[in-house]
Amino acid sequence: MFRTALRNVLAHKARLLMTVLAVTLGVAFVSGTLVFTDTLGKALSGQSAKSYDHVAVSVTSYGQSRGDDGQKEGEPGISQQTLDKVKTVKGVDTVSGRISGFAGVGDENGKLIGTGWANRGSNYAPAADGKDPSYRFTDGNGPAGAEQIALDKETANKGGYKVGDRVRVASNGPVKEYTLAGVFTTDDGQVNAGGSLVLFDTATTQKLYLKPGYYQELSVSAKAGASADQLLADIKPLLGGDKHIKAQTGAELAKEQADSIKKQMSGMSTMLLVFAGIALFVGIFLIYNTFTMLVAQRTKELALLRAVGAKRGQVMRSVMSEALVVGAISSAIGLASGIGLAVAMRSLMDSMDAKIPAGDLVVAPSTIVVAVVIGVLVTMVAAVFPAWRTGRIPPVAAMGSAHLPASSKSLLLRNVFGCILELLGLVMVLGGVSVGGEKGRYLIGGGAFFLLIGLIVLLPLLSRPLIAAVRPLLEKVFGVPGKLAAQNAVRNPRRTAVTAASLTIGLTLVTSLSVLGITMGKAVDRMSTDKIKADYKVSMAMGGGSLDKSVAETLSKAKGIKAVSPQSAFSLKIGDEFRAASGVNPAAIGEMLNVEVVSGSLSSLGKGEVAVAEKTATSRKLSVGSTLQVVYEDGQKGSLKVGAVYKDLEGLLSPYVVDDRILSAHSEEPYIPEVYVNTAGGESKAGEKAVLDALGNNPALSIATKQDMRNEMGGMINTALNIMYGLLGMALIISVLGVVNTLAMSVFERTQEIGMLRAIGLDRSRVKNMIRLEAVVISLFGAVLGIVVGVFLAWAVGTTLTKSVPGYALVVPYDRIGVFLLLAGVVGVLAAMWPARSAARLNMLTAIKTE
């Protein structure tokens, strides 16, 4: 029987090729994801470990925190005195103090070099030999004095800088020019990921990022023969028990970094594997259809085997053996393709300047096992039911039949089961809508699963009435081919349902993501259009962090600037908890944001009073005239009178709004994520130039117009959607293969019928049209159901977001839905090319004689 199975695999190469391709795509995606993330993780971990090769012990300060009284606890960092004590420990060779923060380097056009979040400045800390072991200089030397810097080699090359050139560098304050003293290479992960690194002398770095005489980290190297563990034990008592300082060996730190990298890789891997799972799930329907067809084509052969003594179990095992062979072949090809995919992804990231450290390709034994198990398991699971049906073929009765129709009893049980699943899914989805929030979304997710499975079970029941509804239109427009296509599409409702299921799943996901993404984008657009009145928003480039308070001061004094309001972020201790507060310019905030006042007046901010968001005021029973007892960031206590209550502006203003001057007086380094600006002539080229000139063409700063602000979030949403479309495209490719299989089987079953149609005058072109229209009908049937369910699920999820996303209102993108339907039709036309050509080329006489 196994030899028979192998012969059958080889006898149906074309049909099985599509099954192999479907499984291969899914396995390739899974194995490629695992190989890529393993390779990237090992390379990053190796690089991280290499950067700690010379570190025996690392001491890190996590800054100061606030006690229950609001006072800052501990020192701002590791003091010079502590560093000097560590140097005296027996076995210590060198101790390097490190400080770092944001630093941006501009090219000749003033544009920022490197990725904003990975652009850093740090200190050059030479040891007794005059060299810093963390950096290898290819030209020049380290900075000596406040006017010199050193640059990493990649940044220097991109900017065209050579030793002795003047380089414009900006932190979060005004841009400043330095003399380039040297160019170096480093194992720093952020630099190798496309960022930049500027080295200052230690005193300058402390002044820029921390406080004179303090460090964020100490790197301790050991003398030959000294134990890292013993050094750690000797150093810990010197730290004074400060709970904000952590000491660990270099090996522990390297392991911690490796674990962190592994965790980050895990998130990306999970997302990719979810889409691979979707593709494999869709592939199950294709595999099921393929084996159903193969069994139908070999009905006589299987019946003959039964007649000569083969038992039911042997026949079933024969079909399952075919599935095993197909799964094994698919797994091997998929694994090889996945390795190639991982190599391609690595090359793509390198071409996009997201450089990956050098390292060998990692193909873990677990990846090979997973690829083989998944490929074989998916194929065999999909083949179980067709194999079971082969065991039910009667030895004599089946010899004269092309296929075995499903009994009415089995369809009845199927429909009842489907209705139960649909009802359960609907109840869960509507329950999630009523619960709302994150819990509601989890409930909707579970309900969506049952809803989709129930829909797939009910597709045979739904196919007849839905396709019958479009039959008159097909007959009117396309004539006899249209009428025959509609009839053929529902001739075998089970097979039509299985074929349409893959498109239904794919379109459900694509539609729901599109509706949610576009609705979110419109909500953000409305928020920026309706709520933001400022001409420009100034912030650090690419999310670099806080602006220096000098930015707002400089802009307020500049020519052509009408009004300026910083958006400072603070925390106030109110009662037992710290609450977020925004510091603004009372005289300008009304010109920058469209703040809808419920009661009181925003002018009260200028009198030292506080404005409270409506939801917060309601929950805390506050109104105009109420008094709040607060503790500021420096620990000082005070009271604030409520002068206004305003409609919530989530994402733009914190629940408490105070004059920036009050909050700044209680904070040494206020956190200022953005500054809003209005120019004398409004938004214009002249206005933008006035802002740029006032800030000295600072490469580290971003100046956004209203349109830029709208695009900022909308661009992220569109990028995410495009990634989703790309990933889900694989499921749609498998759907095309499924339609091809169904049509091929349909042509096989109707060979005699097609011959008769040709004999009575249906020419080749109309035979082709009949097959094409059948494919389009099946594709659109699945697509329409998927779109309807997708919109419903998007509405359900959207209801849970209304409280957290201001201005959320469901938007149905009819243009994109139209494109989806058009693509579904194209899928049908493309899938029908080979079966339609085969049907048209059938010899009439041979076809008529076919049993």
Side-chain angles (χ1 to χ4, degrees):
M1 295 302 291
F2 186 71
R3 286 198 300 272
T4 303
L6 288 177
R7 180 181 59 78
N8 288 326
V9 168
L10 297 174
H12 300 90
K13 300 183 189 70
R15 191 68 45 76
L16 288 170
L17 178 63
M18 289 182 282
T19 300
V20 169
L21 183 58
V23 181
T24 296
L25 285 171
V27 172
F29 209 162
V30 171
S31 56
T33 297
L34 295 175
V35 170
F36 177 70
T37 52
D38 286 347
T39 300
L40 182 57
K42 184 178 180 181
L44 292 174
S45 297
Q47 183 187 65
S48 175
K50 187 177 179 182
S51 66
Y52 295 117
D53 279 347
H54 65 283
V55 179
V57 175
S58 174
V59 183
T60 305
S61 169
Y62 294 95
Q64 297 169 299
S65 65
R66 299 187 181 280
D68 294 336
D69 58 356
Q71 293 280 3
K72 287 186 177 180
E73 297 179 336
E75 294 190 272
I78 304 166
S79 68
Q80 182 67 45
Q81 290 81 0
T82 301
L83 185 149
D84 293 336
K85 289 179 184 178
V86 173
K87 281 183 178 180
T88 65
V89 173
K90 183 181 178 181
V92 169
D93 185 19
T94 62
V95 181
S96 301
R98 302 290 180 191
I99 318 102
S100 65
F102 175 82
V105 180
D107 60 16
E108 60 182 6
N109 298 316
K111 299 296 183 182
L112 185 68
I113 298 174
T115 307
W117 61 268
N119 291 334
R120 296 190 306 113
S122 188
N123 65 309
Y124 179 67
D129 61 358
K131 296 180 180 179
D132 189 326
S134 297
Y135 310 105
R136 299 172 294 280
F137 280 83
T138 60
D139 194 12
N141 46 52
E147 296 301 316
Q148 292 187 348
I149 61 165
L151 285 177
D152 69 272
K153 187 176 181 180
E154 191 69 25
T155 301
N157 289 341
K158 287 180 180 178
Y161 294 120
K162 297 179 180 178
V163 171
D165 288 349
R166 298 287 285 175
V167 181
R168 289 164 57 82
V169 180
S171 54
N172 58 351
V175 67
K176 184 179 178 180
E177 285 195 349
Y178 298 85
T179 300
L180 183 61
V183 176
F184 60 88
T185 60
T186 177
D187 295 319
D188 187 288
Q190 290 186 331
V191 173
N192 290 320
S196 65
L197 180 60
V198 183
L199 294 181
F200 304 92
D201 74 316
T202 296
T204 302
T205 315
Q206 288 175 329
K207 185 178 178 181
L208 280 172
Y209 302 123
L210 195 58
K211 189 176 181 180
Y214 286 92
Y215 302 90
Q216 294 166 336
E217 184 181 352
L218 301 182
S219 295
V220 182
S221 62
K223 291 179 179 179
S227 164
D229 291 330
Q230 185 59 51
L231 285 179
L232 179 63
D234 293 340
I235 289 171
K236 279 186 174 180
L238 304 178
L239 305 178
D242 191 332
K243 64 181 181 181
H244 304 106
I245 296 178
K246 180 181 180 182
Q248 56 191 329
T249 64
E252 290 172 339
L253 184 58
K255 183 180 183 302
E256 188 179 275
Q257 291 291 323
D259 290 341
S260 175
I261 290 168
K262 185 177 180 181
K263 187 175 181 181
Q264 292 172 12
M265 291 297 99
S266 166
M268 180 173 69
S269 176
T270 300
M271 183 191 75
L272 293 174
L273 289 174
V274 165
F275 287 96
I278 292 169
L280 286 168
F281 182 64
V282 171
I284 286 175
F285 297 99
L286 170 59
I287 300 164
Y288 169 83
N289 238 0
T290 299
F291 279 93
T292 299
M293 286 185 250
L294 294 176
V295 169
Q297 287 178 328
R298 290 161 43 213
T299 299
K300 286 188 176 181
E301 175 190 329
L302 295 171
L304 183 60
L305 287 172
R306 291 292 313 282
V308 297
K311 297 179 181 179
R312 285 187 177 185
Q314 289 178 304
V315 175
M316 288 176 63
R317 284 194 293 273
S318 171
V319 176
M320 294 304 293
S321 297
E322 291 180 47
L324 177 63
V325 172
V326 171
I329 294 172
S330 303
S331 298
I333 299 173
L335 178 61
S337 303
I339 294 171
L341 180 63
V343 173
M345 289 172 70
R346 183 170 181 166
S347 300
L348 178 63
M349 290 189 71
D350 282 340
S351 69
M352 296 170 64
D353 276 345
K355 297 184 178 178
I356 299 175
D360 296 331
L361 197 69
V362 179
V363 184
S366 59
T367 299
I368 298 173
V369 171
V370 167
V372 172
V373 168
I374 286 178
V376 173
L377 187 65
V378 166
T379 309
M380 295 191 73
V381 166
V384 164
F385 188 65
W388 176 73
R389 293 188 72 196
T390 61
R392 299 175 61 203
I393 298 175
V396 178
M399 288 186 182
S401 56
H403 59 88
L404 294 176
S407 67
S408 57
K409 180 181 178 182
S410 66
L411 285 176
L412 177 62
L413 290 174
R414 175 177 181 144
N415 293 338
V416 171
F417 181 60
C419 288
I420 292 172
L421 288 175
E422 280 291 287
L423 186 60
L424 176 61
L426 192 61
V427 169
M428 290 180 69
V429 169
L430 295 179
V433 169
S434 62
V435 171
E438 188 175 358
K439 290 183 179 179
R441 287 191 287 277
Y442 280 122
L443 200 56
I444 290 170
F449 172 77
F450 288 110
L451 208 61
L452 271 176
I453 298 299
L455 182 64
I456 291 168
V457 173
L458 288 176
L459 281 176
L461 178 67
L462 297 173
S463 62
R464 289 186 183 277
L466 291 180
I467 294 176
V470 298
R471 178 177 165 182
L473 178 64
L474 289 172
E475 189 174 348
K476 183 176 181 181
V477 176
F478 300 100
V480 173
K483 178 180 180 179
L484 292 173
Q487 289 176 339
N488 294 333
V490 293
R491 177 175 292 189
N492 190 326
R494 282 177 179 270
R495 192 165 60 240
T496 297
V498 173
T499 307
S502 56
L503 276 168
T504 299
I505 295 167
L507 266 298
T508 296
L509 294 171
V510 169
T511 303
S512 58
L513 289 172
S514 295
V515 173
L516 280 173
I518 291 171
T519 301
M520 290 287 287
K522 293 289 185 182
V524 171
D525 187 64
R526 278 194 296 272
M527 182 174 70
S528 56
T529 303
D530 300 341
K531 303 301 181 184
I532 299 177
K533 296 161 64 177
D535 295 331
Y536 302 99
K537 181 182 77 172
V538 178
S539 59
M540 295 300 292
M542 302 181 74
S546 172
L547 295 167
D548 190 82
K549 58 184 178 182
S550 63
V551 171
E553 294 169 359
T554 301
L555 286 169
S556 62
K557 298 173 184 176
K559 184 179 179 180
I561 304 298
K562 181 181 176 184
V564 176
S565 178
Q567 286 287 92
S568 305
F570 295 85
S571 59
L572 293 173
K573 188 176 182 184
I574 302 173
D576 296 328
E577 298 179 8
F578 284 97
R579 303 288 178 180
S582 294
V584 302
N585 179 357
I589 187 61
E591 299 177 39
M592 305 298 173
L593 300 176
N594 185 11
V595 184
E596 187 179 342
V597 178
V598 177
S599 59
S601 172
L602 284 181
S603 61
S604 62
L605 293 174
K607 303 173 186 176
E609 298 179 356
V610 61
V612 183
E614 185 178 26
K615 290 180 183 176
T616 302
T618 302
S619 64
R620 297 194 166 273
K621 299 180 180 178
L622 299 174
S623 59
V624 173
S626 299
T627 300
L628 295 174
Q629 299 302 320
V630 302
V631 179
Y632 294 102
E633 290 193 347
D634 59 1
Q636 292 189 24
K637 297 180 179 180
S639 61
L640 292 171
K641 181 181 177 182
V642 178
V645 175
Y646 65 93
K647 288 279 188 183
D648 292 66
L649 284 176
E650 294 180 34
L652 295 175
L653 283 178
S654 298
Y656 299 93
V657 180
V658 184
D659 188 335
D660 181 64
R661 291 172 296 181
I662 295 175
L663 297 179
S664 296
H666 295 280
S667 177
E668 295 178 7
E669 297 178 3
Y671 183 78
I672 309 173
E674 64 243 350
V675 172
Y676 288 114
V677 182
N678 274 344
T679 55
E683 186 179 322
S684 63
K685 289 185 178 180
E688 187 171 352
K689 187 175 185 304
V691 177
L692 284 168
D693 291 345
L695 297 172
N697 289 316
N698 192 329
L701 299 181
S702 167
I703 300 170
T705 64
K706 289 178 182 176
Q707 187 59 47
D708 293 333
M709 293 180 230
R710 285 196 289 268
N711 293 341
E712 189 175 331
M713 182 61 75
M716 291 171 61
I717 292 172
N718 287 332
T719 300
L721 279 177
N722 289 335
I723 292 173
M724 299 298 181
Y725 290 158
L727 294 172
L728 290 170
M730 188 167 63
L732 296 181
I733 291 173
I734 295 174
S735 300
V736 173
L737 300 177
V739 178
V740 172
N741 256 2
T742 294
L743 293 176
M745 185 60 190
S746 180
V747 171
F748 164 75
E749 287 180 350
R750 303 194 330 258
T751 299
Q752 187 180 63
E753 176 187 319
I754 292 171
M756 292 293 294
L757 290 172
R758 293 274 290 111
I760 62 175
L762 196 68
D763 58 29
R764 288 185 175 181
S765 64
R766 288 200 282 182
V767 168
K768 287 182 179 179
N769 283 342
M770 177 182 71
I771 303 298
R772 290 193 194 106
L773 288 172
E774 182 180 347
V776 171
V777 167
I778 293 173
S779 298
L780 288 178
F781 167 63
V784 169
L785 288 176
I787 287 170
V788 171
V789 176
V791 171
F792 172 69
L793 292 177
W795 163 81
V797 173
T799 58
T800 68
L801 298 171
T802 52
K803 292 183 179 179
S804 56
V805 181
Y808 185 95
L810 186 70
V811 177
V812 180
Y814 294 104
D815 53 343
R816 294 203 186 192
I817 287 177
V819 171
F820 297 157
L821 287 172
L822 179 63
L823 287 175
V826 171
V827 163
V829 172
L830 293 176
M833 289 177 66
W834 172 56
R837 186 168 175 268
S838 299
R841 293 176 64 186
L842 286 174
N843 181 283
M844 282 183 285
L845 295 178
T846 303
I848 291 171
K849 290 188 294 180
T850 300
E851 294 182 14

